[in-house]
Amino acid sequence: MSKIISILDYSMGNITSVQRAVQRCGFECNIIHNGKEIREAEHLVLPGVGHFGKAMDFLRKNELDKALQEAVLEKKVPITGICLGMQLMCKGSEEGNTEGLAWFDCEVTRIHVQDSLRYKVPHTGWNLLEKNGEQERLKDLSPDDRFYFVHAYEVKTAPIDEVLSFSTYESRFVSSLIKNNIVGFQFHPEKSQDSGLKLL
């Protein structure tokens, strides 16, 4: 019997496309909204499109941050963060100048480019992943698999043992993170067609 995948709705959008992609992968999926549901989840997804500071304010106001800490750090529930969801897993962000969940030892900063004619911010479009060594989570991907990004903030550096992959947009940045039961993707696997479904 496969696990039920629980997607947390914290008013930051991007829920329906994630739900459809998870279901296309053959998993049962539900949308959850409160701490009780977080604590009872078998596998969590933290999606999101929006503002880091507003997202953290919502999580704190509704005590969802406490429920997430309990589920993920104490109960070791597997969790996948997507785009803003990955950024919230970091120590903090320049977007709102506020602290995050601090599961990864890195900061989120505004994307800065030198060649503003060629490289626009936000970074929007398809990009490749550069695996950080041999990564079991990425073993089914080919070097030509491309993933869809939409972000104006990024993780520039992180402890190398927490990096799952890098990507390059004028300069290299961290495109996915991993630590124990926690995985984060800066890109959108749910919008990345066959490559994204393969990864999910």
Side-chain angles (χ1 to χ4, degrees):
M1 184 177 177
S2 64
K3 289 185 177 181
I4 298 173
I5 311 300
S6 298
I7 301 172
L8 179 60
D9 181 0
Y10 59 107
S11 298
M12 285 291 137
N14 202 37
I15 300 295
T16 305
S17 58
V18 176
Q19 183 181 32
R20 281 201 220 100
V22 170
Q23 290 171 335
R24 283 188 65 187
C25 292
F27 293 101
E28 187 177 345
C29 181
N30 62 9
I31 308 298
I32 62 174
H33 306 86
N34 59 56
K36 180 176 183 293
E37 291 171 317
I38 290 173
R39 294 181 179 93
E40 293 175 349
E42 296 177 296
H43 192 130
L44 288 160
V45 176
L46 186 63
V49 174
H51 190 277
F52 186 104
K54 292 178 181 177
M56 282 305 306
D57 285 346
F58 185 92
L59 293 178
R60 292 190 185 105
K61 180 180 178 181
N62 295 279
E63 298 190 342
L64 301 181
D65 59 330
K66 294 179 181 178
L68 284 167
Q69 299 288 12
E70 182 180 326
V72 175
L73 299 185
E74 297 176 24
K75 297 176 66 178
K76 304 299 182 185
V77 174
I79 187 168
T80 301
I82 297 173
C83 196
L84 177 61
M86 184 198 91
Q87 294 181 1
L88 295 173
M89 296 173 166
C90 301
K91 291 172 67 176
S93 176
E94 290 181 345
E95 187 180 32
N97 293 312
T98 188
E99 295 180 355
L101 296 167
W103 297 338
F104 293 114
D105 187 17
C106 51
E107 299 283 345
V108 180
T109 57
R110 175 80 178 178
I111 296 175
H112 293 286
V113 296
Q114 298 296 319
D115 185 351
S116 59
L117 292 178
R118 184 177 179 187
Y119 296 97
K120 303 300 182 183
V121 179
H123 167 208
T124 303
W126 297 85
N127 213 329
L128 299 169
L129 303 186
E130 174 194 337
K131 299 177 186 179
N132 177 29
E134 294 298 321
Q135 294 286 353
E136 179 68 19
R137 297 292 179 101
L138 305 180
K139 65 181 176 61
D140 295 327
L141 301 184
S142 76
D144 297 327
D145 280 317
R146 291 180 176 271
F147 296 86
Y148 189 74
F149 289 78
V150 183
H151 63 119
Y153 290 79
E154 65 184 357
V155 174
K156 199 67 181 173
T157 61
I160 196 63
D161 61 342
E162 295 185 0
V163 176
L164 185 58
S165 71
F166 297 97
S167 294
T168 299
Y169 187 66
E170 188 178 61
S171 60
R172 194 164 80 155
F173 65 95
V174 176
S175 51
S176 59
L177 291 160
I178 186 167
K179 182 195 285 186
N180 302 319
N181 53 311
I182 308 167
V183 179
F185 302 125
Q186 180 59 73
F187 51 89
H188 289 271
E190 79 283 3
K191 295 181 179 179
S192 300
Q193 301 177 4
D194 290 344
S195 296
L197 293 176
K198 185 162 50 173
L199 180 57
L200 288 174

